[in-house]
Amino acid sequence: MKRISNIIIVSTFVLLLGCGGCGGNHTVSKIAGTSHAPALQSNSRKQNFCVMFYNVENLFDIYDDPDKNDDEFLPNGANRWTAQRYYNHLRNTAQVITAAGEWDTPALCGLCEVENDTVLTHLISRTPLRAQNYNYCITTGSDRRGINNALMYQRDKFRYLSHASRRIPFGNKAKLSRDILHVEGEIITGERLHVFVCHFPSRSGGEKESEPDRIDAATFLRHICDSLLNADPAANIVAMGDFNDSPNDKSIKILTQDDLLVNLFGNPNKLNYYGSHKFQGEWSQIDQMFVSRHFYSYLKKDGQRIFAAEFLLTPKNSRGEQSPARNYQGPIYKNGYSDHLPILADFEM
């Protein structure tokens, strides 16, 4: 396993704010695409199609949702989540998405730990991402804190057709969690692409104690993908997310059993960095991306990667070790990025 050594220089972003962004009425704009989107324009040359997933670490707005436990992320809450801190996080997230795509921003960008439509509207319209032709879809799950999964898509590369917020049928009927986002659209080849954005239940309460919940989530996702592939063995599928389990854990093996899906981040020897998440000094690969066999044929050689640019990492400690540059370290505000590193895959079609 090799560590990336190239230096990435990222320009400073200036957040483009409207005067109404820091106060006033709390408006929510639903701007998900419609099935009446125009057909994609193709040409004779093969085109790059970059897919990214990023756990953005608590991208909350500054407004109270009385139906959710978002009190920590309010201006007078425990994290002192002010308008300035909120906009810093938007700016930093936009910087990561732009830099990760290098010469071309990702066509699809799955996100988790986003609160609602408001933060996505601000992310794609009040940061430099407004020039990238993004639209979005978001779940409406039952998570106690109100965090959701979302997909940002570039309208000239992905023609939106439909989306659904898939509620996971847990064996524990009292379990509340994030829904799986299922988006269907058309890619430049004229084929349909099914995209799933996931954030499986955490290991809170203990890895083994919480494992049944992640197995339930994986079984449900497998059932949906299995149905799609039974109807069309050449179906194009991308399932990405923070699965809170590593490639060798039971829940992940459910998704790859019988070669149903290919885990692009399942082999550590093919990865360019130690992992996408670090906990108690240990790197792991809980952020993963799975594709169907047919869509795998579009993957560029060694097309999967962890985006581990220096600006996303802490300075080296006395042992030469680094960690993701988090936005919060416990209760301490760091003005960082996330406790996860983004993952990407480049396809050519």
Side-chain angles (χ1 to χ4, degrees):
M1 187 183 306
K2 63 179 181 179
R3 188 186 186 286
I4 60 172
S5 57
N6 53 309
I7 299 174
I8 300 175
I9 300 175
V10 182
S11 60
T12 301
F13 284 97
V14 178
L15 186 65
L16 306 171
L17 303 181
C19 61
C22 299
N25 294 328
H26 179 200
T27 59
V28 175
S29 302
K30 188 72 175 179
I31 59 172
T34 70
S35 58
H36 303 293
L40 300 177
Q41 299 299 313
S42 182
N43 57 48
S44 57
R45 293 193 305 171
K46 288 189 175 183
Q47 298 183 36
N48 188 62
F49 189 85
C50 180
V51 181
M52 173 179 173
F53 172 76
Y54 188 29
N55 180 328
V56 295
E57 190 195 331
N58 296 320
L59 185 49
F60 284 83
D61 64 22
I62 62 171
Y63 306 100
D64 182 32
D65 183 342
D67 297 323
K68 299 293 182 180
N69 184 18
D70 62 351
D71 294 351
E72 285 184 330
F73 287 91
L74 296 173
N76 60 350
N79 289 327
R80 297 291 186 263
W81 192 240
T82 62
Q84 185 60 58
R85 291 183 177 186
Y86 167 55
Y87 285 120
N88 286 346
H89 200 13
L90 286 175
R91 180 197 63 216
N92 291 348
T93 301
Q95 179 187 3
V96 175
I97 294 170
T98 303
E102 297 178 351
W103 303 112
D104 197 13
T105 47
L108 301 178
C109 186
L111 304 174
C112 74
E113 296 200 11
V114 291
E115 185 181 15
N116 52 31
D117 292 271
T118 299
V119 298
L120 286 166
T121 301
H122 290 170
L123 181 62
I124 68 172
S125 65
R126 296 188 177 185
T127 73
L129 290 179
R130 69 176 187 168
Q132 300 302 321
N133 198 30
Y134 278 117
N135 211 334
Y136 74 89
C137 306
I138 186 171
T139 56
T140 52
S142 61
D143 181 83
R144 295 181 188 276
R145 296 196 303 138
I147 57 174
N148 288 291
N149 299 323
L151 180 73
M152 289 169 37
Y153 59 92
Q154 289 185 319
R155 287 169 282 185
D156 58 336
K157 297 177 182 176
F158 182 81
R159 179 173 175 259
Y160 168 94
L161 296 174
S162 67
H163 77 281
S165 191
R166 305 280 190 186
R167 187 65 48 89
I168 300 168
F170 291 106
N172 175 8
K173 302 303 180 184
K175 179 66 180 177
L176 300 176
S177 189
R178 285 75 57 175
D179 286 4
I180 294 174
L181 176 62
H182 178 190
V183 184
E184 183 179 3
E186 182 182 292
I187 53 179
I188 201 73
T189 61
E191 298 171 289
R192 297 285 180 94
L193 173 62
H194 293 270
V195 183
F196 298 91
V197 184
C198 312
H199 189 187
F200 280 10
S202 75
R203 296 186 172 193
S204 177
E207 178 184 346
K208 292 300 179 185
E209 292 79 2
S210 60
E211 185 179 54
D213 295 331
R214 291 187 295 282
I215 289 175
D216 285 345
T219 301
F220 180 55
L221 177 59
R222 181 186 173 93
H223 172 73
I224 299 172
C225 294
D226 202 30
S227 297
L228 291 171
L229 290 166
N230 281 335
D232 178 10
N236 293 305
I237 297 173
V238 174
M240 54 184 164
D242 174 356
F243 293 89
N244 274 306
D245 268 337
S246 296
N248 289 325
D249 289 316
K250 291 179 181 178
S251 66
I252 303 304
K253 289 182 177 180
I254 288 172
L255 299 175
T256 57
Q257 184 180 348
D258 301 323
D259 292 328
L260 182 80
L261 299 173
V262 180
N263 188 354
L264 301 184
F265 291 81
N267 184 350
N269 295 320
K270 291 187 175 182
L271 300 181
N272 61 306
Y273 202 68
Y274 310 114
S276 61
H277 183 254
K278 196 174 188 180
F279 181 68
Q280 294 183 345
E282 296 293 328
W283 285 98
S284 63
Q285 194 60 48
I286 60 177
D287 303 286
Q288 294 159 77
M289 189 181 299
F290 302 82
V291 297
S292 59
R293 284 287 171 184
H294 184 259
F295 200 66
Y296 181 71
S297 67
Y298 290 124
L299 182 70
K300 288 185 176 180
K301 181 176 172 57
D302 299 323
Q304 66 271 55
R305 65 191 186 279
I306 301 165
F307 185 57
E310 280 296 319
F311 76 90
L312 286 176
L313 299 167
T314 59
K316 292 180 179 178
N317 62 19
S318 59
R319 296 183 298 276
E321 299 169 340
Q322 295 176 284
S323 301
R326 305 179 57 147
N327 202 30
Y328 275 87
Q329 188 71 45
I332 302 173
Y333 176 64
K334 294 289 189 177
N335 190 21
Y337 296 87
S338 174
D339 53 343
H340 292 246
L341 297 175
I343 60 172
L344 297 98
D346 287 309
F347 302 87
E348 190 172 64
M349 55 192 67

